[in-house]
């Protein structure tokens, strides 16, 4: 059985037609799923019992179980979820930060995972440490957004309850109006390589983008890739205007080869050509992500090739100080070294930003909470 949230409106319309159900029933179902975000068929009170039974026979209605949550109000919050087969994935909720991934966001950015583990094995990354386990299904990607919004609704209702000293009117009622969406920016920068799970990821994005679904504008959705050149070309042919971020982290093959095995398969020449193609087809600015890792890629020798590449691609460069990962030797450069790198890029007329955050912030490094939890569960603290 597949999950109901892996299906588009058109697919559901076709199914409802075979059941001789009127079209408006699909609209009702979609409202329950994406506006009220209910977690059981029984909650869909305006659907006839017989229809609910047919749905339950044909589809699952899965939710993500929260295992752990880190963070404090108004800062980054990290969620660790259990999938139905016991696998663990992460999502990270980040309060609005207009400078980071394109257009201004007045609410929140959610960073979602697209795979369990990652096969690409970049040497600095926690997600790739234990290899790749499986792809996420479209509904598992969609549900990360819904589960966070559900969690937020519950937290808000608890807060109101505490403030007024009265219990909420009905515990099963959605605790905030459905048109108040929490997540209005989505980045595929959690665990996994989104373009290696192409079709399910695209389907999830279409559901999250649709007005009947997640309602997140395509321009507010950013796919991040470590450099899968053929899939970048494929993405260029899709009708949606999704944003693209390329995890560059090094501007020469000599550097990238050292810690990004994907570069051996798709070296910079091929990657750059694919990005140029994307730019031509889409007319959209690409973002180049560049993690700064001390003594690995923070040398000023990278400035020449990096600025050449950025200027050629009309790309913006996001500099991200490395978050240390337990068990890996890499360190973030000193603040002076970070600023020096930024200033050198700016001198070359490159548009660049440096993420300035305090201490070992939890924002950037997805995969770490899962790794920590799995190690603790295995008794290896
Ligand atoms: N696989 C895709 C998307 C997931 S990784 C990709 O590589 O782009 C999302 C981003 O987080 C990438 O830019 C990745 O390089 C970065 N990242 C991974 N580990 C990190 C760490 N420890 N500190 C800072 N950024 C990290
Ligand atoms: Fe995979 Fe991205 Fe991590 Fe590389 S940086 S191992 S591609 S998740």
């Amino acid at each position: 059985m597949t999950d109901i949230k892996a299906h588009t409106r058109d697919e559901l319309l076709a199914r409802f037609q075979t059941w001789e159900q009127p079209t408006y029933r699909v609209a009702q179902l979609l409202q329950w799923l994406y506006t009220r975000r209910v977690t059981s068929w029984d909650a869909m009170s305006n659907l006839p019992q017989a229809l609910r039974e047919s749905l339950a026979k044909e589809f699952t209605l899965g939710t993500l179980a929260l295992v752990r949550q880190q963070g404090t109000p108004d800062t980054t919050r990290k969620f660790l979820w259990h999938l139905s087969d016991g696998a663990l994935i992460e999502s990270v909720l980040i309060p609005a930060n207009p400078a980071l991934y394109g257009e201004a966001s007045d609410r929140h950015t959610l960073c979602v995972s697209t795979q369990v583990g990652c096969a690409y094995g970049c040497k600095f990354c926690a997600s790739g440490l234990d290899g790749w386990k499986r792809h996420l299904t479209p509904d598992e990607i969609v549900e990360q957004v819904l589960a966070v919004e559900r969690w937020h609704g519950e937290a808000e209702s608890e807060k109101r309850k505490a403030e007024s000293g009265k219990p909420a009117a009905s515990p099963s009622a959605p605790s905030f109006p459905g048109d108040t969406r929490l997540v209005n920016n989505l980045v595929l920068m959690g665990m996994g390589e989104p373009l290696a799970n192409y079709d399910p990821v695209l389907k999830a994005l279409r559901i999250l983008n649709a007005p009947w679904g997640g309602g997140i504008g395509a321009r507010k959705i950013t796919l991040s890739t470590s450099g899968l050149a053929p899939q970048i070309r494929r993405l260029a042919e899709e009708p949606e205007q999704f944003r693209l971020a390329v995890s560059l982290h090094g501007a020469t093959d000599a550097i990238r080869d050292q810690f990004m095995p994907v570069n051996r398969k798709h070296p910079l020449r091929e990657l750059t050509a694919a990005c140029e193609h994307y730019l031509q087809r889409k007319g959209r600015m690409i973002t180049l992500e560049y993690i700064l890792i001390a003594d690995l890629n923070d040398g000023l020798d990278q400035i020449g090739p990096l600025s050449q590449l950025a200027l050629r691609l009309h790309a913006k460069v996001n500099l991200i100080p490395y978050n240390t990962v337990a068990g890996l030797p890499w360190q973030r450069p000193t603040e002076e070294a970070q600023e020096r790198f930024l200033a050198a890029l700016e001198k070359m007329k490159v548009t660049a930003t440096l993420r300035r955050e305090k201490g070992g912030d939890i924002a950037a490094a997805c995969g770490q909470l899962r790794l920590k939890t799995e190690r603790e569960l295995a008794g290896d603290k």
Side-chain angles (χ1 to χ4, degrees), residues 22-329:
T23 309
Y24 73 88
R25 293 283 181 215
V26 173
Q28 287 176 323
L29 169 67
L30 293 170
Q31 261 241 317
W32 286 115
L33 293 175
Y34 299 108
T35 307
R36 312 209 44 185
R37 309 176 190 99
V38 299
T39 55
S40 79
W41 302 112
D42 281 342
M44 302 182 180
S45 52
N46 61 359
L47 297 187
Q49 181 65 25
L51 175 57
R52 279 186 253 161
E53 278 165 19
S54 308
L55 284 166
K57 262 189 230 142
E58 180 101 9
F59 304 104
T60 55
L61 175 56
T63 48
L64 300 175
L66 186 63
V67 182
R68 261 187 173 189
Q69 203 243 102
Q70 270 186 356
T72 48
D74 307 319
T75 64
T76 301
R77 276 182 188 268
K78 204 161 194 173
F79 300 83
L80 185 72
W81 311 107
H82 237 151
L83 304 179
S84 55
D85 63 353
L88 295 171
I89 55 159
E90 293 180 28
S91 319
V92 183
L93 185 66
I94 309 156
N97 188 344
L100 275 185
Y101 302 112
E103 281 160 21
S105 124
D106 55 354
R107 285 194 215 118
H108 285 82
T109 295
L110 188 71
C111 171
V112 297
S113 297
T114 55
Q115 299 182 308
V116 181
C118 183
Y120 287 82
C122 302
K123 294 208 173 114
F124 51 80
C125 175
S127 296
L129 267 185
D130 290 337
W132 176 84
K133 298 228 168 68
R134 70 168 173 90
H135 290 307
L136 293 189
T137 52
D139 48 288
E140 287 169 331
I141 299 169
V142 169
E143 182 54 22
Q144 290 174 62
V145 176
L146 299 179
V148 166
E149 292 189 327
R150 221 178 272 129
W151 167 88
H152 173 78
E154 280 160 21
E156 288 291 297
S157 129
E158 286 297 315
K159 211 162 79 187
R160 275 199 300 274
K161 215 161 62 181
E163 279 164 12
S164 70
K166 281 186 247 132
S170 155
S172 60
S175 26
F176 67 108
D179 56 2
T180 317
R181 297 191 183 272
L182 176 73
V183 176
N184 74 332
N185 243 306
L186 193 70
V187 296
L188 275 55
M189 296 191 179
M191 201 190 307
E193 169 50 55
L195 294 187
N197 185 16
Y198 194 94
D199 291 327
V201 163
L202 261 278
K203 191 159 193 197
L205 292 189
R206 290 198 167 120
I207 294 170
L208 287 167
N209 171 227
W212 50 261
I216 306 172
R219 290 180 167 80
K220 306 262 175 170
I221 298 179
T222 302
L223 285 118
S224 175
T225 178
S226 58
L228 272 60
Q231 283 89 332
I232 291 176
R233 288 178 180 273
R234 198 175 155 194
L235 192 67
E237 305 309 317
E238 303 290 352
E240 290 88 358
Q241 292 284 32
F242 298 129
R243 289 177 179 275
L244 182 66
V246 174
S247 295
L248 198 68
H249 312 328
T252 56
D253 284 326
I255 286 276
R256 274 191 120 228
D257 277 348
Q258 280 180 41
F259 53 87
M260 296 184 76
V262 67
N263 198 65
R264 302 235 165 95
K265 203 159 171 212
H266 305 295
L268 274 172
R269 246 182 96 131
E270 190 189 336
L271 176 58
T272 314
C275 290
E276 271 184 325
H277 176 76
Y278 188 89
L279 192 71
Q280 271 164 15
R281 296 287 299 176
K282 292 279 175 202
R284 299 207 60 78
M285 208 167 125
I286 295 174
T287 302
L288 299 176
E289 304 279 323
Y290 199 104
I291 310 179
L292 286 169
I293 308 177
D295 305 323
L296 187 66
N297 66 354
D298 63 342
L300 294 182
D301 58 324
Q302 288 298 298
I303 297 294
L306 178 56
S307 44
Q308 255 178 28
L309 217 141
L311 293 172
R312 185 167 143 203
L313 294 175
H314 306 286
K316 186 182 130 197
V317 177
N318 267 349
L319 298 175
I320 306 157
Y322 181 65
N323 274 306
T324 44
V325 176
L328 295 181

